[in-house]
């Protein structure tokens, strides 16, 4: 199971980090097309609805957006930014899961026994939130690059990962890699905390309803359903901050948005949020791209937990033999 348990063989920090990186890699391959759609919707200032004689909207539905991207940019465009996105997922998965396992083991040793057993979801929520903050701080530069690669159309400003890094340093300075970090930490901390907390809660409920609560080995259905549900719920609750983060990450990159519609300049997290709510339909504007975001978030969380849990199980089995 995910998180420290004294009855299980404790893997090394290096092993937890490696498994976390691998689970992030697998989840990214599966979910990247939906991530591309989510980001395109999030960056669109115009309403996400069919255009009329007086309004222009580049994308207004999942099917339409898929068809539009494939027609205008080719099938490979659905994996735009995959290299930095893959580096992001590997780096983030490595830092997050290694931190989470360390934090839960520390909590087990320092906190009252009842808290780490009976109230495990609460402990996992706190540890998951802190682990998420650590992970996104380490991986933020690749998140910015990933967002910008997805944001640009056929008129490419960045032709490669190296070109993107070089151009950003030259034109915007090193701190450009940390644009939107405040919004990222504000988003990822609560989101990952809720995701790990809900996962612990849902797996407990699953075993009480369907199986033996004391069974040590988690089944594929249990991890996949509980992980996907936890990811989707956490994503929904924190989603507006993801939209704000993406808008801030492309500040200074507006020239790549020609043909996609209007662009806006924001002076920080609060100004971005207020502007979106004022110009794009109040709270509704903060939930642009929610449908592909939920599909991506649920699939990614389910795949992450499933791969991580089962590879850790295989490693423990290997050590015990």
């Amino acid at each position: 199971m995910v998180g420290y348990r004294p009855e299980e063989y404790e893997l090394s920090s290096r092993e937890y980090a490696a498994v976390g990186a691998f689970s992030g890699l697998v989840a990214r391959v599966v979910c990247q097309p939906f991530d591309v759609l989510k980001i395109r919707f999030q960056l669109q200032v115009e309403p996400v609805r069919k255009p009329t004689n007086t309004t222009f909207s580049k994308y207004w539905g999942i099917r339409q957006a898929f068809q539009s991207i494939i027609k205008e940019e080719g099938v490979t465009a659905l994996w735009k930014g995959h290299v930095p996105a893959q580096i992001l997922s590997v780096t983030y998965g490595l830092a997050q899961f290694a931190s989470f396992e360390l934090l839960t083991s520390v909590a087990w040793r320092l906190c009252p026994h009842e808290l780490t057993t009976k109230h495990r979801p609460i402990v996992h929520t706190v540890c998951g939130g802190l682990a998420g903050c650590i992970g996104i701080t380490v991986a933020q530069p690749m998140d910015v690059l990933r967002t910008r690669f997805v944001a640009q159309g056929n008129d490419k400003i960045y032709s490669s990962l190296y070109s993107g890094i070089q151009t950003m340093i030259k034109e915007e300075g090193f701190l450009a890699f940390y644009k939107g970090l405040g919004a990222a930490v504000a988003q990822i901390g609560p989101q990952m905390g809720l995701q790990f907390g809900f996962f612990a809660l849902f797996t407990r409920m699953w075993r009480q309803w369907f199986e033996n609560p004391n069974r040590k080995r988690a089944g594929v259905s249990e991890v996949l359903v509980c992980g996907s549900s936890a990811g989707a719920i956490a994503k929904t609750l924190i989603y507006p901050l993801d939209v704000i983060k993406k808008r801030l990450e492309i500040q200074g990159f507006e020239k790549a948005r020609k043909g996609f519609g209007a662009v806006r300049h924001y002076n920080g997290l609060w100004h971005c949020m207020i502007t979106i709510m004022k110009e794009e339909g109040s709270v509704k504007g903060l939930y642009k791209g929610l449908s592909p975001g939920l599909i991506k978030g649920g699939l990614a969380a389910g795949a992450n937990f499933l791969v991580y849990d089962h590879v850790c199980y295989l490693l423990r089995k290997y050590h015990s033999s």
Side-chain angles (χ1 to χ4, degrees):
M1 292 295 292
V2 178
Y4 178 76
R5 292 173 184 269
E7 68 272 15
E8 294 182 339
Y9 180 90
E10 188 171 4
L11 302 177
S12 68
S13 296
R14 185 177 298 179
E15 287 173 315
Y16 283 129
V19 179
F22 179 67
S23 65
L25 185 150
V26 173
R28 175 60 58 182
V29 172
V30 174
C31 303
Q32 180 67 5
F34 289 102
D35 202 30
V36 169
L37 251 65
K38 175 182 73 84
I39 293 173
R40 290 287 179 94
F41 280 123
Q42 288 175 330
L43 298 181
Q44 181 171 292
V45 174
E46 294 78 14
V48 182
R49 61 169 181 256
K50 286 187 177 183
T52 64
N53 294 331
T54 57
T55 62
F56 167 81
S57 295
K58 180 74 174 177
Y59 306 119
W60 64 83
I62 292 179
R63 182 178 178 183
Q64 178 271 335
F66 268 128
Q67 292 175 335
S68 178
I69 292 172
I70 293 171
K71 181 180 178 180
E72 296 175 3
E73 304 169 53
V75 176
T76 56
L78 296 174
W79 277 268
K80 269 190 173 180
H82 189 61
V83 173
Q86 198 58 271
I87 297 173
L88 161 68
S89 294
V90 168
T91 305
Y92 180 78
L94 182 155
Q96 176 188 241
F97 277 107
S99 301
F100 180 73
E101 295 291 349
L102 175 63
L103 290 167
T104 52
S105 67
V106 171
W108 182 274
R109 295 180 178 94
L110 298 181
C111 296
H113 179 70
E114 185 179 5
L115 181 62
T116 55
T117 52
K118 186 177 179 181
H119 303 294
R120 184 186 296 269
I122 296 174
V123 175
H124 281 207
T125 298
V126 176
C127 293
L130 292 172
C133 291
I134 294 169
I136 197 59
T137 301
V138 172
Q140 181 65 8
M142 283 301 153
D143 194 18
V144 173
L145 278 164
R146 179 274 302 254
T147 299
R148 292 187 173 205
F149 272 105
V150 173
Q152 65 184 6
N154 285 325
D155 297 328
K156 293 180 172 59
I157 307 300
Y158 303 156
S159 58
S160 65
L161 181 60
Y162 177 74
S163 164
I165 294 172
Q166 199 175 37
T167 304
M168 284 181 68
I169 293 174
K170 182 180 178 181
E171 296 184 357
E172 302 174 65
F174 180 77
L175 290 179
F177 292 105
Y178 286 90
K179 283 186 174 181
L181 179 61
V185 171
Q187 173 219 343
I188 293 296
Q191 182 180 328
M192 288 301 106
L194 290 169
Q195 185 168 295
F196 278 102
F198 277 126
F199 181 70
L201 176 63
F202 291 161
T203 51
R204 174 177 292 178
M205 292 168 61
W206 180 284
R207 293 182 175 206
Q208 289 175 343
W209 292 348
F210 301 113
E211 300 176 10
N212 180 359
N214 298 316
R215 189 171 66 89
K216 293 181 179 181
R217 182 77 184 97
V220 173
S221 298
E222 176 188 345
V223 179
L224 193 58
V225 172
C226 294
S228 297
S229 300
I233 293 173
K235 189 74 173 178
T236 302
L237 294 175
I238 310 298
Y239 191 78
L241 286 168
D242 192 25
V243 174
I244 294 170
K245 181 185 72 168
K246 292 295 181 289
R247 295 286 182 96
L248 294 176
E249 286 176 346
I250 65 162
Q251 295 298 288
F253 194 60
E254 290 81 3
K255 56 188 174 182
R257 302 290 298 156
K258 292 178 180 179
F260 288 96
V263 295
R264 293 289 185 272
H265 298 279
Y266 306 111
N267 298 322
L269 190 154
W270 289 109
H271 180 249
C272 180
M273 182 178 71
I274 292 168
T275 303
I276 291 173
M277 292 180 68
K278 183 179 178 180
E279 297 183 353
E280 301 176 43
S282 188
V283 177
K284 188 177 180 181
L286 295 171
Y287 280 89
K288 284 183 173 178
L290 180 62
S291 295
L294 284 182
I295 295 171
K296 181 259 179 180
L299 284 175
N304 252 317
F305 281 124
L306 181 65
V307 174
Y308 182 82
D309 182 75
H310 281 67
V311 174
C312 282
Y313 167 75
L314 292 174
L315 282 174
R316 291 188 179 105
K317 192 174 181 180
Y318 168 78
H319 284 300
S320 63
S321 63

